[in-house]
Each structure stands twice: as structure tokens, then as C-alpha cells.
């Protein structure tokens, strides 16, 4: 098998629980790619990279792969998409007693990631029925939510389950049936990396990411997770 290396770009601030840690050496996708490396005999590692520099890194051959949705794949004309390997789902979480069944019922304050794009059904309510509070990462958003600074928040459901696990609180207490967005995630590899593409296609043809089984085995994130309210 090829001795080439799959150099996968990850956001420079980490992406709990998919890849995180100082060198992006922890997480679901890290564990999956470690399994891939063992099976295919190809070295893999994650490269911290600012999102705005993803296409630049591919062009300068500092990296040759990325996990992304097809709509946000950097340099899409140069990439071969393997998968989908995972389904991303952004869910609405609510304070106890505020479990809404429709976006039209959401009123109050909502915590969102300042860099993320949300659905039209949510955006049309912000500024009228909803006051937006921006967070700079998942842990910041969770702290605001647990301090009851916002009535609702939208977070990847796996991310919330992971933070709940390490914060020792019950995720189901806050979970609603409202999903803001859902999209497939692919492993994009530069088209000229034929051996890497062949190996990845063969691996993901049979490999399924079992998030439920993996979450309890992942290392804790940097920093503490708290479910304590302000005194």
C-alpha cells in the first residue's frame, strides 16, 4: 500500500468532539482515521488550519484532505469526496419547561455560534421574537446556556452529548425535537492523490462511525465543563 500521508485539515480552534486538543490529536474523526491508518497502511494526521486558509493550504500542498460538506468543500473542483461518512445535525436545546415543538414558538434569548450559518426558519425570527447571543465556541455557548443567559441554543447534537457526558448532566433534560439543519459530511481528498482515494473508498465502504460507542471513550476536552448556575 502507498507510503503517502493523508494530511487532514482541521479548524485551528478545534471542533469538539470530532477533532480537538492542542494538535487536533483527539476526537471521533481522529480515532476513525487512526483505524484507517492501521487497516490501509497509510499515515494520517490532522493539521490545525484557519478555515479561511483551507483552499490556500491545499494549493500549497500543506494538506491534501478535509472533512466537509459538499457545499463548503474548499477547492471543490480539485477534490474527490469520499462518503458521506457522517451526518451532521444541529439541534435546538431548551431550558427545562421551554420545550417548543415549532420554530414559530421560540421566543426569548438564543445562544448561537458567531461564525456559523443557520437556517432561514431561524434567521427570520432573530431580532423580532429572538434575541441573539453569540458564542465563540461550543464550551462558551454551553456556559452561557447553563448560566441561563439564554433560553435556547443550537448545537450539534453529538457535541452536546459529549459536553454533557463530561459535565455530568443529563442531555435529555434540554433536548428538543427541533432540528435546525442536517447535512452529510464527506472526506474530501485532492484528486491527484489516487492511492489515498482508493484506500479511503475501500475503508469507508464498510466502516460506519458509531458515535454512541465512541463518546464515552474519548479524552476530556481542554478546560472544565460545568452545569452550575450563577449564585
Amino acid at each position: 500500500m502507498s507510503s503517502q500521508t493523508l494530511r487532514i485539515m482541521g479548524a485551528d480552534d478545534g471542533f469538539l468532539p470530532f477533532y480537538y486538543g492542542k494538535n487536533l490529536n483527539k476526537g471521533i474523526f481522529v480515532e476513525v482515521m487512526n483505524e484507517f491508518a492501521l487497516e490501509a497502511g497509510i499515515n494520517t494526521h490532522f493539521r490545525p488550519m484557519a478555515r479561511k486558509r483551507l483552499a490556500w493550504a491545499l494549493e500549497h500542498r500543506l494538506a491534501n484532505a478535509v472533512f466537509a460538506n459538499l457545499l463548503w468543500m474548499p477547492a471543490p473542483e480539485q477534490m474527490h469526496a469520499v462518503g458521506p461518512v457522517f451526518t451532521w445535525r444541529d439541534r435546538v436545546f431548551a431550558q427545562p419547561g421551554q420545550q417548543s415543538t415549532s420554530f414559530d414558538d421560540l421566543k426569548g434569548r438564543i445562544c448561537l455560534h458567531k461564525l456559523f450559518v443557520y437556517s432561514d426558519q431561524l434567521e427570520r425570527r432573530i431580532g423580532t421574537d429572538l434575541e441573539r447571543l453569540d458564542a465563540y465556541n461550543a464550551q462558551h455557548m454551553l456556559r452561557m446556556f447553563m448560566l441561563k443567559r439564554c433560553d435556547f441554543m443550537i448545537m450539534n447534537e453529538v457535541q452536546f452529548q459529549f459536553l454533557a457526558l463530561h459535565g455530568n448532566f443529563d442531555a435529555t433534560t434540554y433536548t428538543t425535537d427541533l432540528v435546525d439543519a442536517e447535512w452529510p459530511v464527506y472526506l474530501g481528498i485532492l484528486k491527484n492523490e489516487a492511492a489515498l482515494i482508493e484506500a479511503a473508498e475501500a475503508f469507508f465502504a464498510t466502516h460506519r462511525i458509531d458515535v454512541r460507542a465512541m463518546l464515552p471513550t474519548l479524552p476530556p476536552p481542554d478546560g472544565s465543563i460545568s452545569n452550575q448556575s450563577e449564585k
Side-chain angles (χ1 to χ4, degrees), residues 127-138:
T128 54
D129 301 283
L130 289 170
E131 176 188 353
R132 176 172 183 159
L133 281 71
D134 282 331
Y136 53 83
N137 61 28

Side-chain angles (χ1 to χ4, degrees), residues 74-104:
E77 69 285 349
Q78 301 178 40
M79 305 298 282
H80 174 88
V82 178
V85 301
F86 181 79
T87 299
W88 181 277
R89 189 174 294 109
D90 277 335
R91 188 173 294 278
V92 177
F93 297 92
Q95 299 290 354
Q98 299 192 53
Q99 303 289 326
S100 300
T101 58
S102 167
F103 279 87
D104 292 336

Side-chain angles (χ1 to χ4, degrees), residues 1-2 19-20 34 36-38 59 85 105 107 115-116 125 128-129 139 142 146 150 155 158 161 177 224 230:
M1 187 60 71
S2 170
Y19 38 77
Y20 58 99
N34 286 342
F36 167 76
L38 286 174
E59 179 184 353
V85 301
D105 296 332
K107 292 180 175 62
L115 298 178
F116 288 5
R125 303 191 63 77
T128 54
D129 301 283
Q139 288 162 288
L142 180 65
M146 288 302 182
C150 44
M155 184 180 289
V158 175
Q161 291 165 9
D177 293 332
S224 61
E230 284 181 311

Side-chain angles (χ1 to χ4, degrees), residues 18-37:
F18 301 97
Y19 38 77
Y20 58 99
K22 184 176 180 180
N23 297 308
L24 303 188
N25 56 356
K26 309 172 186 177
I28 292 171
F29 288 159
V30 175
E31 294 299 321
V32 168
M33 297 317 294
N34 286 342
E35 292 180 42
F36 167 76

Side-chain angles (χ1 to χ4, degrees), residues 10 31 44 61 63-64 67 70-71 95 100-101 110-111 114 126 158 185 200 203 209-210 225 231:
E31 294 299 321
T44 68
R61 298 300 186 262
N64 55 21
F67 282 103
L70 294 180
L71 293 176
Q95 299 290 354
S100 300
T101 58
I110 187 165
C111 285
K114 68 176 183 178
I126 294 176
V158 175
V185 176
F203 177 77
I209 298 178
D210 187 347
I225 304 300
K231 301 299 182 183

Side-chain angles (χ1 to χ4, degrees), residues 110-179:
I110 187 165
C111 285
L112 302 172
H113 195 299
K114 68 176 183 178
L115 298 178
F116 288 5
V117 176
Y118 295 93
S119 69
D120 290 342
Q121 63 184 343
L122 176 67
E123 291 288 351
R124 69 171 180 261
R125 303 191 63 77
I126 294 176
T128 54
D129 301 283
L130 289 170
E131 176 188 353
R132 176 172 183 159
L133 281 71
D134 282 331
Y136 53 83
N137 61 28
Q139 288 162 288
H140 180 211
M141 187 188 302
L142 180 65
R143 283 195 294 272
M144 290 198 296
F145 184 70
M146 288 302 182
L147 291 171
K148 298 185 178 180
R149 293 173 183 163
C150 44
D151 306 294
F152 309 96
M153 73 171 181
I154 294 181
M155 184 180 289
N156 174 269
E157 60 183 7
V158 175
Q159 196 169 66
F160 187 73
Q161 291 165 9
F162 177 69
L163 293 174
L165 182 66
H166 288 281
N168 296 313
F169 60 90
D170 184 4
T172 62
T173 301
Y174 307 96
T175 303
T176 76
D177 293 332
L178 294 179
V179 175

